[in-house]
Amino acid sequence: MKLILLGAPGAGKGTVAKMLTAVDGSVQISTGDILRGEVQAGSDLGRQAEEFMNRGDLVPDSLIMGIMEKRLQQPDCANGFLLDGFPRTIPQAEALKELLNKLNIKLDMVVNIDVPREVLLDRLTTRRTCTNSDCQAIYNVKSMPPKKEGVCDKCGSPIVQRDDETVEAITHRLETYNDKTAPLVGFYEKEGQLQTITGTSSDAVVNAIKSELGM
């Protein structure tokens, strides 16, 4: 399957993508994960991106599109891919459309995961992430806490609240999303590729996507 997953921060795009990769071997592509890897590696790209990410702002398109072109041509994408959290703006969507045409790749559909704002705020401000770049396991202090407070169950590294997941940063991210990313719903509706799925359960969202794809 070749899908774009849209939805506000905390809508569950990453969880849904991971569940879908188990269905047919498609690969999850998250610009956030790629960028965080560059930040931890201390690359030039990482240093540039980090300033934007820590403020909860969007990373410039020039940085993102270069990454995306390189990534989509890697061999594991031949089985299909799930774009998780990209594109984020209309210019990115237009650039991605050109890139996919250039690479002769056709999308199956664009899925908009619709989740109420109060659920998003609660999910994100209670989320904690493993600091080990090879693990990056995600916990939730309410719904899925680690066995030992502050320590990753899988690798024993510290788990922390990311700088972009404080209440202030989350509120800013949701406002940024509403200003710049929500219009993508209209863009893909006009393209005839959009399916909106309302649900706070990742299982329900995955089942709805599989049903739409006839799987």
Side-chain angles (χ1 to χ4, degrees):
M1 63 183 91
K2 295 180 177 72
L3 304 178
I4 292 173
L5 300 176
L6 299 180
K13 297 181 296 291
T15 303
V16 165
K18 281 187 177 66
M19 291 167 74
L20 288 171
T21 58
V23 174
D24 73 346
S26 298
V27 63
Q28 177 188 8
I29 300 176
S30 159
T31 50
D33 288 346
I34 297 170
L35 287 168
R36 278 190 285 276
E38 296 285 345
V39 168
Q40 280 168 332
S43 70
D44 286 343
L45 174 66
R47 279 194 291 276
Q48 290 174 59
E50 188 172 26
E51 293 175 24
F52 294 94
M53 291 160 72
N54 285 344
R55 290 199 302 267
D57 286 336
L58 299 177
V59 175
D61 294 355
S62 54
L63 293 178
I64 299 283
M65 292 315 298
I67 289 177
M68 198 48 65
E69 180 163 6
K70 193 169 139 193
R71 184 67 187 90
L72 288 173
Q73 294 180 84
Q74 289 177 7
D76 58 352
C77 288
N79 294 331
F81 56 83
L82 306 154
L83 293 184
D84 159 17
F86 181 86
R88 294 191 178 195
T89 63
I90 299 290
Q92 281 183 1
E94 288 167 342
L96 179 63
K97 185 180 174 182
E98 281 179 28
L99 176 60
L100 293 175
N101 286 337
K102 177 181 160 187
L103 300 177
N104 203 22
I105 295 171
K106 186 176 184 304
L107 287 175
D108 291 319
M109 67 177 176
V110 178
V111 178
N112 176 39
I113 305 171
D114 187 27
V115 177
R117 181 186 170 90
E118 62 274 14
V119 175
L120 298 173
L121 269 171
D122 186 59
R123 274 184 187 173
L124 288 170
T125 53
T126 54
R127 188 152 78 172
R128 302 292 182 269
T129 306
C130 175
T131 52
N132 177 356
S133 58
D134 293 327
C135 177
Q136 289 194 331
I138 290 173
Y139 299 89
N140 185 293
V141 291
K142 284 186 180 176
S143 60
M144 201 177 71
K147 294 188 181 78
K148 185 178 175 189
E149 190 178 342
V151 178
C152 178
D153 294 347
K154 294 179 181 174
C155 72
S157 299
I159 62 167
V160 295
Q161 182 176 43
R162 289 191 344 220
D163 290 341
D164 61 352
E165 288 180 347
T166 61
V167 174
E168 295 77 19
I170 295 296
T171 302
H172 183 58
R173 281 169 72 193
L174 289 176
E175 284 166 2
T176 301
Y177 174 81
N178 285 331
D179 288 346
K180 297 186 178 175
T181 310
L184 286 172
V185 170
F187 177 89
Y188 284 113
E189 214 158 27
K190 282 184 191 145
E191 296 279 311
Q193 295 175 302
L194 187 80
Q195 291 290 342
T196 292
I197 295 171
T198 303
T200 53
S201 151
S202 296
D203 285 317
V205 173
V206 167
N207 288 335
I209 291 170
K210 284 163 67 178
S211 171
E212 288 289 346
L213 292 171
M215 300 174 83

